Amino acid sequence: MTNVWPNIGNEITEIPELIDIELLSDGWIKKYLLTYKLPDGSTYKYESVSRKGLAEYTAALRSDEQGIIPKPDAICIVPILPDDSLLLIREFRYPVNAWCISFPAGLVDEGETIEECVNRELMEETGFRVRQDLEGSAIMPLPQNGYSSVGMGEENVRVVIAYVEQISDAEPHSTEFIESFVLKRDDAGEFLDKNRDLIGTRCQLLLEAVRRNQVLRKRLVLAQNPIKSNDFA
């Protein structure tokens, strides 16, 4: 086992070369056939999916190949309320035919800034918006985009922590079925243990991190203020 970082941005291992991209089926989700030349000279075909058209998808793959940081295709919002609770949603998701627990999220429109997208998606799904009463920005995008499922496609998502407040009722589209709810940080562990709805991976991992952080905080408090016998008197 190694304890050093990978050779970031300076690959020394020969990798497959993308030599052809073929559109197999069109639609909102498009299916592609990628042809690669392997280091031994043989070819290898791989199926993938994307929302992008052929020209845009090709450009995205070439940019990824060169290490160019792409604009986010979508955002995932981690909304934090004034009392430090988390705002989540329970949404019916068509591809799995079931309710799913997640954070508010959505595609970034052409020409839209991250903050504009955050506000639009929050308003549509929850009736909340980014707070206006804080000094400085009320949103904190993570440093880089994360990829949804690199075994299937190139969609990338920017996770954004946002301090929010409610100003109206939600305004979902007619085909969207969304319920928002508040989760206190101390309840994250119990929620994970008892939840029986499907859950998004990003949401699951963050709530697990919250659970562990809360446990560590409680242990630190106990270490600094050990329990004495007269506490139970």
Side-chain angles (χ1 to χ4, degrees):
M1 186 176 76
T2 179
N3 62 353
V4 297
W5 287 16
N7 197 15
I8 298 172
N10 185 23
E11 292 78 8
I12 57 176
T13 302
E14 192 175 2
I15 62 174
E17 176 189 359
L18 179 62
I19 57 177
D20 187 56
I21 305 173
E22 179 185 356
L23 176 63
L24 296 181
S25 65
D26 207 347
W28 190 61
I29 300 293
K30 308 171 197 309
K31 183 177 180 181
Y32 290 96
L33 182 65
L34 311 179
T35 302
Y36 283 88
K37 180 180 178 182
L38 300 182
D40 64 6
S42 63
T43 58
Y44 178 65
K45 296 184 181 296
Y46 196 96
E47 295 179 356
S48 66
V49 296
S50 177
R51 293 188 182 91
K52 298 180 176 71
L54 180 58
E56 188 181 6
Y57 182 53
T58 300
L61 294 187
R62 293 304 182 191
S63 293
D64 289 343
E65 177 183 52
Q66 297 169 36
I68 298 173
I69 299 174
K71 295 180 180 178
D73 296 319
I75 58 167
C76 174
I77 309 159
V78 182
I80 301 176
L81 277 60
D83 68 354
D84 210 33
S85 297
L86 301 171
L87 179 69
L88 290 88
I89 62 171
R90 180 176 184 258
E91 180 176 7
F92 180 83
R93 301 298 285 181
Y94 291 93
V96 292
N97 190 35
W99 290 95
C100 185
I101 303 297
S102 64
F103 288 109
L107 299 176
V108 180
D109 288 343
E110 185 67 30
E112 192 174 42
T113 67
I114 289 180
E115 184 162 359
E116 289 170 343
C117 185
V118 167
N119 267 320
R120 177 177 56 78
E121 289 294 342
L122 280 173
M123 286 295 299
E124 290 176 4
E125 297 186 359
T126 68
F128 283 70
R129 72 170 182 188
V130 173
R131 288 176 60 180
Q132 307 295 306
D133 59 338
L134 302 182
E135 293 185 9
S137 177
I139 68 168
M140 294 183 291
L142 266 61
Q144 69 180 102
N145 306 333
Y147 284 74
S148 298
S149 179
V150 292
M152 292 179 59
E154 79 337 320
E155 181 189 61
N156 63 85
V157 180
R158 180 70 64 89
V159 175
V160 182
I161 299 170
Y163 292 90
V164 303
E165 59 186 355
Q166 186 169 20
I167 61 168
S168 68
D169 294 329
E171 300 174 353
H173 298 296
S174 60
T175 56
E176 294 180 319
F177 301 88
I178 303 173
E179 303 169 353
S180 62
F181 65 98
V182 174
L183 183 66
K184 293 186 179 299
R185 291 176 185 256
D186 279 341
D187 296 335
E190 183 180 5
F191 175 80
L192 287 173
D193 291 339
K194 293 183 177 180
N195 173 58
R196 290 299 175 264
D197 287 322
L198 303 184
I199 188 168
T201 300
R202 282 183 291 268
C203 181
Q204 183 183 43
L205 288 174
L206 192 140
L207 292 183
E208 182 61 36
V210 169
R211 180 216 300 253
R212 292 168 185 255
N213 187 54
Q214 295 302 95
V215 169
L216 288 175
R217 283 184 178 181
K218 291 175 181 177
R219 288 179 177 172
L220 180 60
V221 169
L222 285 175
Q224 294 174 339
N225 303 281
I227 296 175
K228 303 179 179 61
S229 58
N230 60 7
D231 290 332
F232 300 96

